[in-house]
Amino acid sequence: MLDTILDPANPVPWVIIAGLLAGAIAVIYRPFSTYIKFVYPNAKYEAIGNPYIIERELNKLIENKNINGFKEMLNTNKDYQLTGENIYDLQKSLDDHLIKTIEQMKKDNSRKMKYFYDTYIEKIDLYLIKHIVKNRLRDINVDKKIIENALLKKTKNVLQDLIDADKNSIPEILKNYGLPDEIREVLKDEKDIDFLKLDTLFDIYIINKFKQTSVPYKCEDGRNKFINYLVDTLNVKNVLRAKQLGYNIENCKKLFLGEGQEIALWKFNELSEADSVSQMISSLQGTSYYEPLKNSIEDYNRENSVQVLENALDRNFLNIVRDISMQNYITIGPTIRFLVSKEFEIRNLKTIVKGIGENMPPDFIKNVLVTGGET
């Protein structure tokens, strides 16, 4: 029997053996090919790092007496080459640095990551769209110069449309941009617009885009955890803002963005039903959001600002992204960590520029910066 199977004159068993070997090689090669694609970029991101989400590095910059001193100190970091002599130009230079960094990441990574990067840039740009929409709806003049701050051409186009169009056309412009049909309902009565609900529609839009992004093989888990924790963080922020603004339970529940990693619908409803911000935080026991918010409640009570709690959630998100990186360190993990950290890094640097340029006390600047994610 064995002689028959191994008979060189009998091609059938040899074809079968070759097929089995080819299949085995394919199974082994596919994940290995993904790992190979991330070796160089991940090593590069680890080498560059994100020093400006680290408190001690930020404190050095805050000590500068003027924005020129800030610029000179920052430019000693070979990753930065800022230009400009005033607050606006320096902040614009930082935005340019961010987009150049992401464009370089696109080149360094697999082509399958392109849509993920584009969506991330759009997430950053959404702030500008929200800002212009709210100002138009409130009949506040909009400076067209703001269009220059957009990172994507798509964003620049929609900003131009929102500025030039009649106010009644705004719902249609946003619908064409991709926002849910519900946008018309939210904006139908301009005298009674729920601006927090409007924010959630933008959040739902970008979350859905992230969910549609394709990533290389073996990267889905890292991407999904990033999206789910982003959803959680936004859900908790929305309820905090709603409680601060005095929303009733029914309206709080309307702000749900979908289930994330830890916040299911029943938990979100429980948060919405809390009588106060303190009770809401207590309802988060058992989640990764409880400790950072509990540790910030005294600052919140003293300042009566939900921004204190939002900063705590942002610090927690940086730590979560660090953990995602460690769990997916041979694929998409370090890429996501570097990208998210770079966004917060640029935000911190823009805050410091504004603070120094407007002679704000150093302690005030320190309190609004977001740090975390150290290994």
Side-chain angles (χ1 to χ4, degrees):
M1 180 69 177
L2 187 59
D3 292 341
T4 302
I5 294 175
L6 298 179
D7 182 0
N10 184 359
V12 175
W14 294 104
V15 170
I16 294 173
I17 292 170
L20 291 172
L21 286 172
I25 291 170
V27 169
I28 295 170
Y29 176 75
R30 190 179 182 195
F32 185 72
S33 67
T34 297
Y35 305 151
I36 288 294
K37 291 174 183 176
F38 280 97
V39 168
Y40 167 72
N42 286 350
K44 179 179 178 180
Y45 307 147
E46 289 293 330
I48 295 173
N50 299 103
Y52 303 115
I53 55 171
I54 299 173
E55 186 175 355
R56 64 178 178 273
E57 298 298 330
L58 292 168
N59 287 343
K60 295 175 186 176
L61 293 172
I62 294 171
E63 290 171 1
N64 283 286
K65 302 299 182 182
N66 54 60
I67 56 177
N68 284 330
F70 165 87
K71 180 178 70 173
E72 290 174 6
M73 180 177 287
L74 186 61
N75 283 347
T76 61
N77 183 324
K78 63 181 180 180
D79 194 39
Y80 284 89
Q81 287 301 316
L82 292 197
T83 59
E85 303 299 327
N86 55 55
I87 295 173
Y88 176 84
D89 288 342
L90 286 170
Q91 288 187 328
K92 181 68 170 61
S93 184
L94 285 165
D95 284 335
D96 291 342
H97 171 82
L98 177 59
I99 190 65
K100 287 177 183 176
T101 298
I102 298 177
E103 290 298 329
Q104 185 59 50
M105 292 179 76
K106 278 190 202 177
K107 295 176 182 177
D108 292 341
N109 263 291
S110 165
R111 284 177 292 180
K112 291 182 179 179
M113 291 288 293
K114 179 183 181 301
Y115 189 51
F116 182 87
Y117 284 125
D118 288 342
T119 303
Y120 199 94
I121 297 172
E122 189 174 1
K123 179 182 82 72
I124 298 171
D125 267 354
L126 277 186
Y127 167 78
L128 296 173
I129 299 177
K130 291 180 186 180
H131 176 75
I132 286 185
V133 168
K134 290 176 182 179
N135 281 356
R136 287 296 321 275
L137 294 172
R138 290 167 172 155
D139 292 321
I140 299 173
N141 289 332
V142 178
D143 185 352
K144 287 191 175 185
K145 199 173 182 180
I146 196 173
I147 297 175
E148 299 172 14
N149 296 333
L151 303 177
L152 293 174
K153 184 177 180 181
K154 171 184 177 181
T155 309
K156 294 179 188 290
N157 291 338
V158 75
L159 292 179
Q160 188 70 60
D161 290 343
L162 288 168
I163 291 173
D164 293 341
D166 181 87
K167 191 163 66 170
N168 294 329
S169 302
I170 290 176
E172 192 62 29
I173 293 172
L174 294 178
K175 177 66 178 62
N176 292 336
Y177 181 74
L179 264 67
D181 290 337
E182 196 177 351
I183 188 68
R184 292 193 178 95
E185 182 67 21
V186 172
L187 300 182
K188 71 176 182 180
D189 185 357
E190 65 178 76
K191 295 181 180 178
D192 188 29
I193 295 174
D194 185 342
F195 286 100
L196 189 50
K197 177 61 179 176
L198 177 62
D199 282 342
T200 65
L201 294 182
F202 280 102
D203 293 339
I204 290 171
Y205 163 77
I206 203 66
I207 288 166
N208 287 337
K209 288 204 71 171
F210 269 122
K211 288 179 178 179
Q212 294 165 12
T213 58
S214 62
V215 291
Y217 181 65
K218 288 288 185 179
C219 293
E220 293 86 355
D221 183 62
R223 177 203 59 189
N224 292 343
K225 282 188 176 179
F226 160 73
I227 295 170
N228 289 341
Y229 277 112
L230 176 63
V231 172
D232 275 353
T233 301
L234 292 173
N235 270 331
V236 176
K237 282 185 178 183
N238 285 340
V239 182
L240 285 171
R241 293 168 187 160
K243 292 297 177 186
Q244 179 86 351
L245 293 170
Y247 278 43
N248 61 34
I249 293 173
E250 181 183 354
N251 285 334
C252 283
K253 290 181 177 180
K254 291 178 181 178
L255 303 176
F256 188 55
L257 302 175
E259 296 193 351
Q261 192 72 20
E262 300 180 33
I263 309 296
L265 177 59
W266 68 268
K267 173 59 74 172
F268 185 86
N269 288 339
E270 184 179 303
L271 299 177
S272 300
E273 292 165 3
D275 292 330
S276 64
V277 168
S278 296
Q279 185 180 337
M280 178 196 152
I281 293 173
S282 296
S283 297
L284 284 166
Q285 288 191 57
T287 73
S288 61
Y289 309 100
Y290 174 66
E291 286 295 332
L293 290 175
K294 184 191 73 171
N295 294 337
S296 301
I297 192 65
E298 288 186 10
D299 292 336
Y300 165 76
N301 289 333
R302 182 176 60 253
E303 298 182 23
N304 193 32
S305 170
V306 75
Q307 188 61 51
V308 172
L309 301 177
E310 291 196 32
N311 286 351
L313 287 169
D314 286 338
R315 289 192 294 272
N316 184 62
F317 188 62
L318 280 173
N319 292 333
I320 287 171
V321 168
R322 173 201 60 203
D323 295 341
I324 292 173
S325 174
M326 295 173 69
Q327 293 160 8
N328 301 270
Y329 69 96
I330 57 176
T331 57
I332 200 173
T335 295
I336 290 177
R337 181 184 184 184
F338 183 77
L339 183 60
V340 173
S341 299
K342 178 60 74 171
E343 180 191 358
F344 279 101
E345 193 174 63
I346 295 300
R347 188 189 302 179
N348 283 339
L349 294 173
K350 290 172 71 174
T351 299
I352 294 174
V353 168
K354 185 175 178 63
I356 293 175
E358 296 183 356
N359 297 313
M360 295 179 184
D363 286 342
F364 177 85
I365 300 173
K366 291 176 184 179
N367 287 338
V368 295
L369 302 178
V370 176
T371 58
E374 292 187 67
T375 303

